[in-house]
Amino acid sequence: QVQLVESGGGLVQAGGSLRLSCVASGSGVSINSMGWYRQPPGKQREFIAMVGSGGNTNYADSKKGRFTISRDNAKNTVYLQMNSLKLEDTAVYYCYANTPAAWGTRTDYWGQGTQVTVSS
């Protein structure tokens, strides 16, 4: 079992920056990918970025440039640096992680979400 706890959300003015953190805990687990999704008000959850255990990254095309994902494997922590925030970045941001499971499958884990509100 893996528990994910996000932090760093809050209220920020448009044009500002925030850095989200997500710490993964769980004994004896090996985490593969970690990433971030978000769910704007009234919309579906959408992919932002993912980082593998080796540091390789993948971004949603619309998030490239303003969002940067990074990972500290020693701390089991993934970060999301968000710059030049816009009103439309207002959403609940969710941390994601997966671990290997039997027969080549994986187990997905989600954090509880952290609110990011961008004001004008």
Side-chain angles (χ1 to χ4, degrees), residues 18-120:
L18 277 178
R19 188 176 85 151
L20 305 182
S21 301
C22 172
V23 180
S25 62
S27 60
V29 293
S30 175
I31 297 174
N32 285 341
S33 298
M34 299 184 77
W36 293 94
Y37 288 71
R38 74 182 186 185
Q39 187 164 15
K43 297 184 179 181
Q44 291 187 332
R45 191 173 298 188
E46 60 184 18
F47 170 72
I48 299 173
M50 196 74 65
V51 56
S53 57
N56 52 304
T57 59
N58 182 35
Y59 292 88
D61 287 342
S62 60
K63 306 301 184 292
K64 291 179 181 177
R66 296 191 299 119
F67 291 69
T68 303
I69 192 169
S70 61
R71 178 173 175 171
D72 185 334
N73 288 332
K75 296 180 179 180
N76 274 344
T77 301
V78 63
Y79 305 96
L80 184 68
Q81 178 68 42
M82 305 185 292
N83 299 326
S84 302
L85 285 163
K86 305 176 181 180
L87 297 179
E88 52 265 38
D89 293 319
T90 294
V92 178
Y93 285 71
Y94 294 92
C95 179
Y96 163 87
N98 66 56
T99 60
W103 307 107
T105 62
R106 71 179 189 218
T107 303
D108 296 333
Y109 298 92
W110 294 92
Q112 81 286 355
T114 185
Q115 177 70 46
V116 171
T117 302
V118 183
S119 65
S120 59

